[in-house]
Each structure stands twice: as structure tokens, then as C-alpha cells.
């Protein structure tokens, strides 16, 4: 059974769609997909911004622009043949700066300065394993709140689980509400007494590894942070709600390989269960057989070998090579089809778009356009 | 010769698959190999089609002449408690702490702590001896390591954290890890595809590893296209200059009379294939410029199942990957 079709060009041109999130495991082409979709939206006459989080600066490369900073920058489009009213804006997330801005927005300048200087804050704001995801969503909320863009396309980090952005705010809250820090500082008190001597030892062990200084920095941070905490939690909640709104669409990206597709299946389930609007699956870099020979059965190995060993006639050798290429393409296409069938068996109602691999790597806006044409029917 | 093989690569290059194939190749001839997973993704279980692996060394595959591969998926929380247990007697409090989230908290407070634990555990498996046989517990250890972007901070974490633990058992443990990782006992392998971005990242990682004096073993090029067009015709095929009529005649001679449209379709596919091959040659030459040893693995059309892993392992063996001689301790 074939999955329902997914027309991504129509999706990004739809004026009711305001936020698009691409997710998937590492190396499947999420960033390029996000950029191509933003180009398609701009070509459809919308003011589109693409927000990438990937520190490998892949978007910068694929857009052919240099360094991107923490605010969107206009990317010049060659608009020949396209709707002239569209605009493309691109940015790369600066995690620490976004966090700093968030602190400043919820506090007095003096308090903010103290927090920014705290070593524990510096550790949390750069290396907590969900900070990047959290700040991506914070930046998305910022950009959405400006009301300046018709469509914001967000790429997600290649983390262990690409859905960390759903959980990170909550996990970070648990760290910052101070209970754990108080427990490590004064282990003998409160409910924590139940673990008694073991905990005291643990606290000592932690201190010996991470240093007592860091723990007292943490305690100071908690004190400074207490007032801000409520504001942060409200903020995280409203961002989460933004992701569930009807104007938001999620696109899961995968390549036709079992590991990537298994991740994709997991993402689809998780998004569904969180009530996130899932538009469909992009099956990226497929290798369909050329349309002109789609029905041509692969030649037998004997036929191919017979032609290839015909040393007298170079054309025969090349004919054999062409048949060998076709046989391989057919085998790969067949394997990819089997992969897709497995996903569709598990998610029969999930729309799928197959995006054939480009013969070259994607470097610039023109390449992104070519990619974008493969993402829709129009 | 290296006993500890660290396999890294950009996301999507197949580093887990390559690490598993390397482990199988190193187990040939009755060797014992441990395949270690550090990212808590259960990628090895998926690759070998097994239920999630426990935090215990589990036999997952056999190789020729009684060789075997065991797998260990390191659980960071369990490793932390184990680590503290080495220096402090926590008793049963460990489990309670874990439940409270204290362990996750500690690893977050000191982000490098995770990597300290992981590299510490790896070192323990490398140096462990079997008290009965007086031999190393494993002839080789293969680590499915973090991706290229994180590999140097990961391997050098004990150096970066050195000022946090300034004395005592934890300090000497850290020094041991750093010494092992910078010694000829270790080889870092970089897995890449022949595509622009992975190649660029591989070159960057190679430079960073050299800068950090971490020993590089090889570049392992994965998913290489097997050239099907004769070498002397590649340029013509890639530019669409093959003689369509002559090829149509040759096909007809073999009893395959295709209409011109279909012959065009076949040649269009041949052109794409030839372009791909030429592009890969270019990138391979760029990688060869590093002067590092290179190993290549083809794209497996049927996907990588257990049989495919053995196939890849055999190809590594054919290219000279040999198990280290079993070491007898003095």
C-alpha cells in the first residue's frame, strides 16, 4: 500500500502555516531540507526565515553565506521567474547569547550581570545537554513574537534524541529549582535524611570530582535565579503551546536506511502522543530508476557479462555497463521501496515525500531551489 | 600495534556499522574483542537486531576459529556509581541517589564528568587482565565513539578536567586515561563518505587530532560506489558523450532491442553513475592528501544485516586489518 502523498511546496506556500520544524537523526539532511523549504516559501512570495542550530555551520555552507549570527540576515535571491515579493532570511543559533538575552529579559540589569558572571550559569548555558534545544525553541518563540515573518523554518540539533527540544525545558527546570543543589550542600537535612550516610558520602564524592567551588557557585546561582524562575517556566510553557498550535507543522526527515527510519518512526510516535501537528515524512536521498526505464526489467547477469567481455567492440562493453548500472539502480530502488513499506505498515496514515538524491552536493541557493522542486508537485 | 580502536565520523556516515565490522575483523583467529557503545543510543543492539543491551559485557557475535565479539553499552549513571564505589563505600545508597536524579544532576553540573566516566570505563576494559590465564581480558577494544565534532574534547576530557581533581585516586586515574589515549596502543579511525561535507569534517577532525597528539589509525571510507563503467570511458559517460546508436546496436545484438527512449534512459543513469564515480575519485584523492592509511568499504545494496557485517569485516581483513598478536603479560 502506498502512503498518502506529501506536497511540501504547497505546505510552505500555505498562509496558515507559520512555523515549520524539521527533525530527524544526524546526517539525514535536516538542515538542507529546512533551507530548501525556506527558499521554496520565499519563491512562493512569503517572507521566510530559516533558523538553524547546527554548530557545524552546514546551513552557512549550503546557503553560500559566511558566518551567521544570532539574528536573521537577509539572503539575496535571484528572483527571476519567481514571485518578487518573497524574502529569505537565515540565521544560526547562538545558544549562549539566546540564554543571556532571556536572563536579561526577565531581570534587572544588575541581577542579570551577576547571573551572567556566575560560573555555574556559564556551565549550564553552554553545556547542559538540552540547552541548545531549549534555546532553539526560545529563539523560535522570539522570532514568532516579532510577527515579522510569514514563515519560520526551524532545524533541530543532531542530538542523541532529536526530540530533546520537547523535554529540555522541563529537565532544565528540575535542575534550576535548587532542590538538588541544596541537598548536595546540606545533605543531612529534610526528606533526604532517608538515604543518610550514603548521601553524605555521595555529596563528598561529587564535591571531590567537580570541586566545592562549583557547588557554591551553583548555590549562589540558585539564589540569584529564584525570582526569574517563574517567568522562565511560563515562557517554556507558552513555547510548548506554540508548537502545538494549528499554524505549526513538523516534518520528520530520514534517509532510506533502517537506522534512520527507525528513529523517524520513533519521532512520529512521540510527536503524535504529544499532540504535535505532524505534516509527514521526508524520505531524503532516494535513488529511483530513471522514468524512461522505470518498467525495464534488469538484464540477467549472463547477458551483462556477455556484453562486457566483448573486447572486440567497445560499444558492447559500454552497453553491458549501462545494463549493469540499471540492474544496480533497480536493486537499490527495490530495497528503498521495501524500507518505505515497513514505515508505512507501522504508520499507514503518515504522508510521505520521496526526495531523490541530487547528483552533486548542495552548496548554494540554486542547488536548494533544485532540491525544493523535488519536494512538491507544482 | 594498537589494541584500542576509537571509531568516529560525522553523523550518518555509518560509524556504528564500521565499528562493528572492525570488531569482527579483529576477532578473526580466536581473538576476544569488546565493542563499546558510549552514546546510550542502543545503536549496537539495533545493528545486531537484539533487545536493548544491559550494562554488562554481552556476547553478540562469533568470528572464525573461535573468535568472539562482546558488546558493552555503557550506562553513564551506573558507571558513575561504579566509579564512586571504587573510592568510597556508598553501600545501598547508590540506587536511591539514582532514583532521586542526583546522578544525572552531578553529570550535568560538571559536563565533562560524563566523558571522564566513559573514557575511564574504556581504559578499565583495555587494561583488565584475566586472573586465570594471566592474559589481557580482551585482545582488542573497539569504541563506537562520539561524532567527529566532539571527538577531541571527548578523548581529552581528563586533561581538560585535570584541575578539578588535583590529587588522590581520581587524579591518578585520569592521568592513566590520558596516557593510554595518547599512546601507540590507541588508534582513532575516521569514518567518512565520499561527499563534500563529511570529507571536509574528516579533514578538520584529522587536523584537530594531530594538534592534540592523539594517534590516528586510518580513514575508513564507507559506501564507496563500485565503478561499473570502464575507466577509459568514465569521462565520456559523465559528459553524456557515449555513442547512443552504437550502444543500441550492441544491445540489439544481445537480443535486447530497446526503443530509443529507453536507451536514452539507460545512458542517463550511466551518466549519473559516472559523475558520481568521478566525484568520489576526486574526494578520495583529497583524503589521500592527508597521508593517512585508507580503507574502503562498498555500499551494500541490500542494507547491512548481520551477514552484511561479516562481508564488510572480510573486506577489512582483505585490506590488511589484522588482529594484534595475543599479548602475554610479563
Amino acid at each position: 500500500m502506498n502512503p498518502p502523498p506529501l506536497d511540501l511546496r504547497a505546505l510552505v506556500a500555505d498562509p496558515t502555516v507559520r512555523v515549520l520544524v524539521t527533525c530527524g537523526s544526524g546526517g539525514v539532511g535536516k538542515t538542507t531540507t529546512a533551507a530548501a523549504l525556506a527558499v521554496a516559501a520565499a519563491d512562493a512570495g512569503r517572507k521566510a526565515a530559516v533558523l538553524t542550530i547546527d554548530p557545524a555551520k552546514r546551513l552557512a555552507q549550503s546557503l553560500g553565506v559566511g558566518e551567521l549570527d544570532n539574528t536573521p540576515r537577509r539572503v539575496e535571491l535571484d528572483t527571476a521567474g519567481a514571485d518578487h515579493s518573497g524574502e529569505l532570511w537565515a540565521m544560526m543559533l547562538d545558544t549562549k547569547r539566546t540564554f543571556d538575552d532571556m536572563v536579561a529579559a526577565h531581570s534587572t540589569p544588575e541581577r542579570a550581570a551577576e547571573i551572567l558572571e556566575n560560573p555555574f550559569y556559564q556551565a549550564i548555558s553552554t553545556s547542559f545537554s538540552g540547552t541548545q534545544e531549549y534555546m532553539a525553541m526560545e529563539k523560535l518563540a522570539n522570532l514568532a513574537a516579532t510577527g515579522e515573518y510569514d514563515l519560520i523554518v526551524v532545524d533541530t540539533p543532531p542530538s542523541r534524541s532529536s526530540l530533546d527540544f520537547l523535554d529540555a525545558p522541563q529537565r532544565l527546570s528540575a535542575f534550576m529549582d535548587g532542590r538538588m543543589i541544596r541537598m548536595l550542600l546540606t545533605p543531612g537535612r529534610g526528606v533526604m535524611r532517608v538515604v543518610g550516610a550514603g548521601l553524605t558520602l555521595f555529596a563528598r564524592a561529587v564535591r571531590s570530582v567537580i570541586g566545592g567551588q562549583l557547588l557554591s557557585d551553583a548555590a549562589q546561582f540558585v539564589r540569584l535565579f529564584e525570582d526569574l524562575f517563574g517567568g522562565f517556566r511560563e515562557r517554556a510553557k507558552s513555547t510548548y503551546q506554540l508548537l502545538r498550535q494549528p499554524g505549526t507543522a513538523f516534518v520528520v526527515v530520514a534517509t532510506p536506511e533502517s537506522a534512520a527510519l527507525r528513529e523517524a518512526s520513533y519521532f512520529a510516535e512521540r510527536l503524535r502522543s504529544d499532540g504535535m501537528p505532524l505534516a509527514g515524512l521526508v524520505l531524503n536521498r532516494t535513488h529511483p530508476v530513471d522514468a524512461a526505464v522505470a518498467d525495464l526489467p534488469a538484464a540477467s547477469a549472463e547477458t551483462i557479462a556477455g556484453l562486457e567481455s566483448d573486447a572486440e567492440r567497445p560499444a558492447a562493453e559500454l552497453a553491458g555497463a549501462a545494463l549493469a548500472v540499471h540492474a544496480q539502480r533497480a536493486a537499490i530502488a527495490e530495497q528503498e521501496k521495501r524500507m518505505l513499506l515497513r514505515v508505512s505498515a507501522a504508520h499507514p496514515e503518515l504522508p510521505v515525500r520521496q526526495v531523490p538524491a541530487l547528483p552533486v552536493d548542495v552548496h548554494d541557493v540554486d542547488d536548494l531551489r533544485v532540491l525544493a522542486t523535488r519536494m512538491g508537485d507544482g | 600495534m594498537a589494541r584500542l580502536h576509537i571509531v568516529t565520523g560525522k553523523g550518518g556516515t555509518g560509524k556504528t556499522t564500521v565499528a562493528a565490522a572492525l570488531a569482527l575483523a579483529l576477532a578473526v583467529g580466536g581473538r576476544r574483542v569488546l565493542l563499546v557503545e558510549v552514546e546510550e543510543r542502543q545503536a549496537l543492539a539495533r545493528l545486531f537486531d537484539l533487545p536493548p543491551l544491559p550494562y554488562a559485557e554481552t556476547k553478540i557475535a562469533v568470528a572464525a576459529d573461535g573468535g568472539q565479539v562482546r558488546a558493552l553499552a555503557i550506562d553513564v549513571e551506573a558507571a558513575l556509581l561504579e566509579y564512586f564505589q571504587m573510592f568510597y563505600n556508598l553501600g545501598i545508597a547508590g540506587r536511591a541517589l539514582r532514583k532521586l536524579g542526583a546522578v544525572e544532576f552531578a553529570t550535568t553540573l560538571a559536563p565533562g564528568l560524563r566523558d571522564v566516566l566513559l573514557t575511564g570505563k574504556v581504559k578499565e576494559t583495555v587494561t583488565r587482565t584475566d586472573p586465570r590465564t594471566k592474559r589481557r581480558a580482551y585482545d582488542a577494544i573497539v569504541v563506537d565513539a562520539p561524532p567527529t565534532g566532539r571527538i577531541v574534547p571527548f578523548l581529552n576530557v581528563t586533561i581538560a578536567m585535570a584541575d578539578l581533581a588535583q590529587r588522590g585516586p581520581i587524579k591518578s586515574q585520569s592521568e592513566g586515561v590520558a596516557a593510554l589515549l595518547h599512546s601507540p596502543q590507541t588508534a582513532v579511525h575516521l569514518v567518512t563518505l565520499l561527499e563534500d561535507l563529511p570529507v571536509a569534517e574528516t579533514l578538520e577532525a584529522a587536523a584537530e587530532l594531530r594538534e592534540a597528539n592523539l594517534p590516528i589509525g586510518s580513514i575508513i571510507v564507507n559506501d564507496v560506489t563500485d565503478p561499473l563503467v570502464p575507466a577509459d570511458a568514465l569521462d565520456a559517460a559523465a559528459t553524456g558523450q557515449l555513442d547512443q546508436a552504437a550502444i543500441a546496436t550492441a544491445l540489439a545484438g544481445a537480443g535486447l532491442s530497446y526503443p530509443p527512449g529507453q536507451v536514452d534512459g539507460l545512458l542517463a543513469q550511466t551518466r549519473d553513475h559516472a559523475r558520481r564515480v568521478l566525484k568520489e575519485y576526486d574526494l578520495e584523492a583529497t583524503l589521500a592528501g592527508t597521508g593517512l592509511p585508507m580503507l574502503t568499504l562498498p555500499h551494500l545494496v541490500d542494507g547491512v544485516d548481520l551477514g552484511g557485517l561479516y562481508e564488510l569485516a572480510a573486506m577489512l581483513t582483505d585490506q590488511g586489518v589484522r588482529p594484534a598478536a595475543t599479548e602475554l603479560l610479563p
Side-chain angles (χ1 to χ4, degrees), chain A residues 40 92 115 183 239 296 361:
Chain A
M92 178 172 293
I115 291 177
M183 182 183 99
T239 307
L296 197 69
D361 286 310

Side-chain angles (χ1 to χ4, degrees), chain A residues 34 36 64 77 141 151-152 160 180 193 200 216 221 232 240 262-263 293 305-307 313 321 323 333 335 340 344 368:
Chain A
L77 286 178
L151 176 70
I152 304 166
R160 276 184 299 144
M180 198 66 73
R193 250 190 328 228
T200 312
S216 44
F221 171 75
F232 269 45
Y240 185 80
R262 246 177 291 202
E263 290 282 279
V293 285
L307 281 162
R313 294 178 306 153
L323 291 177
Q335 167 71 7
L340 179 60
S344 292
L368 287 171

Side-chain angles (χ1 to χ4, degrees), chain A residues 61 120 128 160 290 361, chain B residues 39 88 108-109 196-197 269:
Chain A
Q61 281 180 339
F120 177 74
F128 173 67
R160 276 184 299 144
D290 190 280
D361 286 310
Chain B
E39 292 185 285
Y88 307 92
T108 301
L109 245 184
D196 288 342
L197 295 182
Q269 290 186 157

Side-chain angles (χ1 to χ4, degrees), chain A residues 106-107 111 221-232:
Chain A
H106 288 87
S107 142
R111 176 62 57 98
F221 171 75
V222 168
R223 257 196 330 278
L224 290 168
F225 212 75
E226 238 148 13
D227 306 340
L228 279 69
F229 201 67
F232 269 45

Side-chain angles (χ1 to χ4, degrees), chain A residues 2 77 79 82 85 97 126 134 136-137 141 143 145 156-157 159 166 233 283 323 330 332 347 358 366-367:
Chain A
N2 287 326
L77 286 178
T79 49
S85 59
R97 239 165 87 181
T126 50
Y134 184 7
M137 294 305 119
L143 293 177
T156 50
S159 50
L166 293 177
R233 218 163 12 201
L283 194 60
L323 291 177
I332 291 172
H347 304 274
L358 292 176
D366 288 339
D367 296 340

Side-chain angles (χ1 to χ4, degrees), chain B residues 233-242 271 274-275 278:
Chain B
L234 271 173
D235 285 317
T239 47
Q241 289 172 32
L242 294 182
R271 185 195 59 214
R275 278 188 190 167
L278 289 173

Side-chain angles (χ1 to χ4, degrees), chain A residues 41-47 74 76-88 369:
Chain A
D43 281 347
R46 304 186 79 196
K47 184 174 176 185
R74 178 100 185 248
E76 284 311 317
L77 286 178
D78 167 20
T79 49
D83 186 321
H84 287 253
S85 59
E87 289 177 21
L88 176 64
R369 273 210 178 98

